[in-house]
Amino acid sequence: MNEPRFRRDGAWVGASVPRREDPRLLAGRGRFVDDIALPAMLHAQFVRSTVAHGRIVAVDLDDVRTVPGVVAAFSAADLRLGDITALLDRPPHEFVATSMPVLAHDKVRFVGEPMAIVIARDPYAAEDGVEAAVVEYEDLEPVVTDTAALADDAPLVHAEAQRNTLVDVSLFATEGIDDVFADAPCVVRVQTKTGRQNALPLETRGVVAHWDDRDEQLLVQTNTQIPHQVRTVLASCAGLAEKQVRVIVPDMGGGFGQKCVVGREEIAAAAAALRLRRPVKWIEDRRDALTAAFLAREQRYDVRAAFDADGRILGLDADVVCDMGAYSCYPFTAGIEPLMASAEMPSVYKVPAYRVRGRAVTTNKAPTGPYRGVSRPQYVMVMERLMERAARELGMDPVEIRRRNVITVFPYTGVNRITYDPGSYRESLDLCERVLRDEGWYDVRDSDRVIGIGYSCFSERTGYGSGAFAQRKMQVVPGFDISEIRMDVSGTVSVTTGTMSHGQSHETTMAQIVADRLGLDIAQVKIVQGDTDRITYGFGSFASRSITIGGSAVAAASEKLGDQLREIAAHLLEVDVDSTELDGAGGIRLRDDPARRLSFAELADVAYLRAHLLPKGVGPGLSATASFDVAGDGTFSNATHGVVVELDPGTGGVEILRYVCVEDCGVAINPQVVEGQCRGGIAQGIAGALFEQVTYDAAGQPLAPSLMEYKVPTASEIPDIAIHHLETPCAFTANGAKGAGEGGTIGAPAAVLNAVNDALRDTGVELDDTPIAREAVHRALNSALEGTGV
Amino acid sequence: MSEIQLVELTVNGERRDLAIEPRRTLVDVLRHDLGLTGTHVGCEHGICGACTVLVDGAPVRACLVFAAQVEDADIRTVESLAAPDGSLSDLQQEFSAHHGLQCGFCTPGFLMLAQGFLAERPDATKEEIREVVASNLCRCTGYQTIVEAVDACAARRRSA
Ligand code: FES
Ligand code: FES
């Protein structure tokens, strides 16, 4: 499995081509944002709130300005920037718009909220400057939990949001659902709470901005997943035209969604550069990243499911509350988690009746945004717990009950009005179980050790086209991607993509797609991403959309260029266009007489240097633009994860003995890259199941401000992961691919939690919350020991 | 303001003279004063290992050391691994072959960690390698392919 595989069947797609990104990154020649240094560059740090909730009485920066090395300090009043406001096109009872000021002015709403920016000649002096700031607050009572936020007399985080509710939607309510529950032979309930998490890209956020006099542009180099949306917000906050802002993204050290929203610090630093007419750099330190960056995942579910006596699910009734923290993120809004959960909770199962209420509440904690998987790790966990609980209740095998419920006939339109494209839900489940049986884990489970086996089955929408996002009613509707391909005089091509790699290998995988479509070596293909001046428009990378949507646009543009090349070749060879074809080796040949061919270099030579030879009506140059959007409701990757855990009765510790993932992301462009995405995702899912949690005290002070307290798993905690591929080509994309970025993170928490509960099967205790607390496992095991008199 | 101090460092075999504040960390000096930006900063508090460099052959977290403390030492950074013509070392090649990197941000730290460790323990078992790999954080790969890359490099060196 680890031997690199090359050019299967002469095609680039499907081959584990070594990454083109690797040589520079391995040699230390990557260019990350903090590697950028400009002449006369200054450095920024932020004065941040030390209280969770307070009225700002005064921000006094006089002493800051006298600190040696400090060049300037600006409060909100000094910079006077517009606010960042994310909108949903929903009525006021469903959505309350709130704005996030770039720098807090009247109120602070969480510890770590930026109130002023200090600019100095080096970061050390900037930090000295921050320490000299004097801020006077009038303390307000903080709201720290979602339940406190919803209380009748709760203090309001935003005056406009009554009961601290930003989003309250009831998207589905099947008629007669109460009768379904009243008549059902088996009703099970799962109440669960999942911990707040930090996506924690290893590279923190950062920006280098300066005003370029020649281009009359604010040039902003920043590590964002969404360069065009940053341009839009920056232009509007700073009162510039879009053409006066250029956003360039260098190499990025991960993002996982945290860099998929517009942050306020980037805007403030860029505005300071504009004001000072000098380059300004801001690099977030880890403490700020842990306390003030966008978080995710803190959700509470109360869900009931009705089953018939054979274990078939009859109905699902769900109440979802997401603690979104202090602000609604741009462009997704505070609706990102509840809307995702509400729309997609039925997952891989045939659910005939469905009712759901989804709410986003605001609290005095760092705001939340997208994080790899968005809500799906949570609702998949709920669905998988419901399956297991019903299986126990009905005395059924937990795999068998899933088998009876998974969708097997496609296309399938669910009660949530989503049409699922074909997948291998049943096959992946069968294969995953078979692998664990064949490896003998069921025998190990029957030994004296405290061992459990758990599964999770899920599908994940990856190709969210404009149609799917339009249903969310976001004011910014992502979905399409545009690619432009240009061939140069020598016959090599550069291709733009509106997606933005932050570790997913686009320079390699996108080039593989282009190489196949044009019959070129990938060395002849250059991928251009992350530059708002060079790329028409893009929504960046999130929701596993890059290869599905971006890759399809790249393929479509390549084909258009291929047609142009054929047209010119046909003219030069004096034949009909239909008698020509790409020859797979960088040229166009005659179908019936392959020896007669023209290389791309020869054709490009005509197109640029001897344009008089071109056919009538064909202009000089070689370029094509194509866009792609997903028709229908999107594409659905699917997988089954199977986990074997052993519990330690002494400590309550959970050790993962085996992890098997059977995944189906349609055509895998580069299997090694897909496996990398799975493993990395699973590691983050395990982290959520067992380790990571952002916690606060009753006053809203963060309790995990460093990596000493926020426990990120290492190679000791993450096991080797066996990956098996199934391939159900996608019906809706140009290259048969479905997304592969998030599945690992989605499947892991449910599988681990189910395995732990399986190991606890003799204790009578079931655990439903994550991260799974050692103390809870310990207590469960030991109460059982006491109970049996051991 | 703190005073300025003259510091002489030997980095990748080259003598460098600096006038810096004593509080300046080694990683900041390497990255920002000497322009060796291959070494990265992930936490500045000694946990993530992204800043790992070799000091007299041993892996050290450059965010926890002041430049002034390592004046007499031999400091090696990731920039020293590839040959002068740019060809990658055996260790770097194995990282690529095993997909031991995705975003590549943690990679210089892991490379220097492994470089120092394998020089000390050429016969390390895979389990020992995993233990050492557990000193640093990677957020992308899930570690397995990093362990495999280091293990493959060790095997390759043993059979060479
Ligand atoms: S930056 Fe030095 S250990 Fe993290
Ligand atoms: S490859 Fe991204 S942090 Fe390791």
Side-chain angles (χ1 to χ4, degrees):
Chain A
M1 184 119 311
N2 292 316
E3 281 302 299
R5 286 152 287 178
F6 300 95
R7 301 202 63 164
R8 189 183 72 186
D9 303 322
W12 292 97
V13 167
S16 289
V17 174
R19 295 203 322 161
R20 309 167 81 199
E21 292 86 343
D22 286 353
R24 70 166 189 277
L25 296 173
L26 285 161
R29 286 188 284 106
R31 188 173 72 242
F32 295 91
V33 65
D34 189 36
D35 300 346
I36 296 166
L38 297 174
M41 187 169 75
L42 299 170
H43 298 264
Q45 288 289 340
F46 288 88
V47 177
R48 294 177 182 277
S49 174
T50 55
V51 302
H53 199 186
R55 200 164 299 290
I56 301 173
V57 178
V59 180
D60 182 351
L61 303 176
D62 286 349
D63 289 351
V64 176
R65 296 186 179 105
T66 66
V67 169
V70 169
V71 172
F74 304 110
S75 66
D78 300 323
L79 281 185
R80 289 195 304 275
L81 297 166
D83 290 352
I84 302 171
T85 308
L87 295 175
L88 290 178
D89 194 7
R90 290 184 179 273
H93 66 277
E94 290 191 345
F95 174 72
V96 179
T98 50
S99 61
M100 178 167 72
V102 175
L103 294 171
H105 33 79
D106 54 340
K107 235 179 132 178
V108 284
R109 295 184 171 88
F110 67 96
V111 173
E113 176 156 19
M115 291 177 289
I117 182 170
V118 177
I119 313 286
R121 67 162 180 245
D122 70 36
Y124 292 66
E127 271 173 39
D128 293 343
V130 166
E131 274 167 29
V134 182
V135 181
E136 213 183 305
Y137 310 93
E138 175 196 323
D139 281 343
L140 298 171
E141 194 189 332
V143 184
V144 184
T145 65
D146 57 324
T147 37
L150 288 169
D152 280 338
D153 54 351
L156 295 183
V157 178
H158 295 268
E160 54 274 45
Q162 289 308 302
R163 295 176 70 97
N164 292 308
T165 302
L166 300 181
V167 173
D168 189 349
V169 289
S170 299
L171 294 187
F172 302 97
T174 307
E175 215 169 304
I177 189 165
D178 287 318
D179 298 336
V180 171
F181 275 87
D183 300 340
C186 167
V187 173
V188 292
R189 181 177 184 188
V190 166
Q191 290 172 289
T192 177
K193 188 163 172 26
T194 57
R196 204 171 190 78
Q197 260 185 283
N198 193 314
L200 207 126
L202 199 58
E203 180 206 34
T204 56
R205 296 180 300 147
V207 60
V208 177
H210 74 283
W211 179 260
D212 184 318
D213 278 317
R214 284 193 71 201
D215 286 342
E216 296 191 328
Q217 261 184 334
L218 187 61
L219 178 57
V220 182
Q221 302 188 73
T222 182
N223 49 16
T224 178
Q225 295 169 235
I226 49 168
H228 281 90
Q229 287 74 50
V230 170
R231 179 179 74 178
T232 297
V233 173
L234 183 50
S236 105
C237 284
L240 298 170
E242 290 246 343
K243 72 174 172 59
Q244 290 177 297
V245 180
R246 178 179 187 183
V247 176
I248 292 180
V249 185
D251 283 324
M252 231 199 296
F256 315 115
Q258 193 172 73
K259 295 173 183 166
C260 193
V261 293
V262 180
R264 44 215 305 204
E265 289 92 343
E266 297 90 295
I267 307 292
L274 184 65
R275 173 73 77 92
L276 295 167
R277 296 288 158 129
R278 277 181 73 178
V280 170
K281 175 190 274 192
W282 169 68
I283 301 297
E284 180 181 47
D285 70 18
R286 183 56 65 189
R287 190 189 173 85
D288 289 347
L290 281 165
T291 54
F294 288 88
L295 306 171
R297 302 254 200 272
E298 187 171 0
Q299 303 186 354
R300 185 186 295 280
Y301 286 76
D302 187 348
V303 185
R304 291 183 311 140
F307 286 82
D308 71 14
D310 296 329
R312 286 195 181 76
I313 191 165
L314 301 171
L316 190 63
D317 190 5
D319 185 34
V320 185
V321 176
C322 307
D323 180 340
M324 304 309 290
Y327 292 102
S328 207
C329 66
Y330 185 96
F332 298 96
T333 80
I336 182 166
E337 289 191 355
L339 291 172
M340 174 71 91
S342 298
E344 299 182 19
M345 191 176 316
S347 187
V348 286
Y349 300 112
K350 290 173 282 187
V351 175
Y354 179 41
R355 178 165 61 199
V356 63
R357 179 182 188 190
R359 277 175 286 177
V361 302
T362 177
T363 54
N364 292 116
K365 297 188 283 199
T368 55
Y371 173 26
R372 201 174 196 172
V374 179
S375 282
R376 289 166 289 186
Q378 286 77 31
Y379 74 68
V380 166
M381 204 170 91
V382 170
M383 291 304 293
E384 297 300 289
R385 289 301 303 137
L386 289 167
M387 286 293 153
E388 299 261 329
R389 191 152 292 164
R392 269 195 202 194
E393 202 107 319
L394 294 165
M396 282 180 67
D397 176 77
V399 174
E400 180 55 29
I401 196 169
R402 289 179 171 90
R403 225 172 251 138
R404 289 188 189 175
N405 283 293
V406 291
I407 301 162
T408 49
V409 179
F410 298 95
Y412 175 89
T413 301
V415 68
N416 50 0
R417 298 195 284 270
I418 291 173
T419 300
Y420 297 78
D421 77 333
S424 52
Y425 303 173
R426 169 81 191 258
E427 295 80 354
S428 64
L429 176 62
D430 289 346
L431 177 56
C432 194
E433 189 199 21
R434 197 163 68 240
V435 169
L436 288 178
R437 282 201 185 278
D438 290 351
E439 290 181 357
W441 291 105
Y442 278 86
D443 303 329
V444 181
R445 177 179 179 267
D446 292 337
S447 66
D448 308 335
R449 294 155 66 187
V450 192
I451 285 180
I453 297 179
Y455 293 92
S456 70
C457 290
F458 61 93
S459 69
E460 47 156 333
R461 177 144 50 161
T462 56
Y464 283 88
S466 306
F469 272 119
Q471 278 171 13
R472 287 251 182 108
K473 303 203 164 90
M474 280 164 64
Q475 206 191 43
V476 177
V477 183
F480 63 85
D481 200 56
I482 308 175
S483 264
E484 188 191 348
I485 186 165
R486 221 183 289 161
M487 183 169 274
D488 59 31
V489 181
S490 70
T492 66
V493 294
S494 47
V495 192
T496 69
T497 171
T499 64
M500 190 58 244
S501 183
H502 40 289
Q504 305 96 323
S505 327
H506 294 179
E507 284 170 49
T508 306
T509 51
M510 293 282 185
Q512 287 177 262
I513 293 170
V514 175
D516 268 355
R517 295 288 163 143
L518 279 173
L520 274 174
D521 191 283
I522 55 167
Q524 313 282 306
V525 183
K526 177 180 161 66
I527 301 298
V528 179
Q529 55 185 340
D531 183 342
T532 56
D533 266 16
R534 291 173 76 183
I535 291 152
T536 315
Y537 199 79
F539 287 104
S541 284
F542 55 88
S544 307
R545 67 189 296 278
S546 301
I547 288 298
T548 50
I549 298 175
S552 293
V554 155
S558 307
E559 278 184 359
K560 262 195 178 172
L561 181 69
D563 291 343
Q564 265 179 46
L565 290 163
R566 283 175 55 215
E567 189 180 349
I568 299 170
H571 176 73
L572 296 175
L573 294 170
E574 298 180 334
V575 296
D576 195 63
V577 178
D578 291 338
S579 58
T580 64
E581 64 184 11
L582 295 163
D583 72 357
I588 307 286
R589 68 184 172 198
L590 293 194
R591 252 182 237 287
D592 302 329
D593 185 5
R596 286 188 68 200
R597 80 184 279 272
L598 286 167
S599 71
F600 290 165
E602 288 168 312
L603 293 166
D605 182 78
V606 168
Y608 288 101
L609 305 180
R610 294 185 294 151
H612 62 286
L613 298 180
L614 286 169
K616 264 202 184 52
V618 172
L622 283 169
S623 69
T625 301
S627 66
F628 184 84
D629 201 342
V630 175
D633 291 334
T635 67
F636 290 82
S637 293
N638 70 274
T640 299
H641 291 201
V643 190
V644 185
V645 300
E646 177 162 16
L647 308 184
D648 181 339
T651 64
V654 178
E655 190 189 350
I656 297 175
L657 303 178
R658 185 65 174 145
Y659 204 110
V660 175
C661 163
V662 180
E663 69 80 34
D664 186 343
C665 66
V667 172
I669 308 298
N670 184 322
Q672 195 180 44
V673 167
V674 169
E675 286 173 20
Q677 289 294 309
C678 287
R679 292 209 174 90
I682 288 168
Q684 290 189 340
I686 292 172
L690 295 175
F691 305 103
E692 294 177 6
Q693 188 172 15
V694 177
T695 48
Y696 292 83
D697 71 10
Q701 292 292 334
L703 295 175
S706 86
L707 292 175
M708 302 277 252
E709 300 87 13
Y710 191 76
K711 174 82 185 90
V712 177
T714 69
S716 298
E717 288 86 25
I718 302 299
D720 282 353
I721 292 157
I723 295 166
H724 299 263
H725 299 280
L726 295 175
E727 188 175 289
T728 310
C730 179
F732 300 131
T733 58
N735 47 43
K738 305 168 176 181
E742 302 172 279
T745 317
I746 295 169
V752 172
L753 184 61
N754 282 339
V756 168
N757 278 307
D758 187 45
L760 292 175
R761 61 193 174 274
D762 296 330
T763 66
V765 176
E766 288 185 51
L767 303 177
D768 290 324
D769 294 347
T770 56
I772 301 165
R774 262 170 189 261
E775 307 76 61
V777 173
H778 187 254
R779 218 177 306 123
L781 287 172
N782 290 286
S783 64
L785 291 179
E786 281 159 28
T788 54
V790 176
Chain B
M1 189 178 41
S2 32
E3 282 158 34
I4 299 295
Q5 190 178 350
L6 288 177
V7 174
E8 299 171 5
L9 294 183
T10 309
V11 182
N12 300 335
E14 202 180 319
R15 230 318 264 290
R16 310 292 296 261
D17 298 331
L18 298 143
I20 53 170
E21 288 180 53
R23 64 175 174 172
R24 208 151 166 82
T25 61
L26 176 58
V27 73
D28 281 346
V29 166
L30 292 172
R31 290 181 47 75
H32 302 303
D33 299 336
L34 303 182
L36 295 168
T37 53
T39 305
H40 294 152
V41 176
C43 71
E44 285 180 294
H45 52 258
I47 306 287
C48 75
C51 63
T52 305
V53 298
L54 297 182
V55 175
D56 289 333
V60 160
R61 306 198 160 201
C63 71
L64 294 183
V65 178
F66 295 113
Q69 290 174 284
V70 287
E71 274 204 292
D72 299 319
D74 172 34
I75 300 158
R76 297 264 153 195
T77 69
V78 68
E79 284 88 350
S80 70
L81 290 183
D85 71 352
S87 54
L88 299 179
S89 73
D90 53 353
L91 180 64
Q92 289 167 312
Q93 287 170 24
E94 295 296 352
F95 264 72
S96 181
H98 290 84
H99 196 25
L101 67 158
Q102 289 182 22
C103 76
F105 195 77
C106 67
T107 312
F110 277 105
L111 286 170
M112 298 319 281
L113 178 73
Q115 180 78 10
F117 174 69
L118 290 184
E120 277 288 296
R121 298 287 318 278
D123 293 323
T125 64
K126 197 164 177 186
E127 268 324 293
E128 290 168 333
I129 289 171
R130 179 175 284 279
E131 252 170 59
V132 168
V133 166
S135 327
N136 286 11
L137 297 180
C138 170
R139 201 54 174 164
C140 299
T141 61
Y143 303 108
Q144 177 177 343
T145 53
I146 297 177
V147 174
E148 285 167 356
V150 178
D151 187 43
C153 178
R156 184 163 153 183
R157 286 183 187 176
R158 283 196 293 265
S159 69

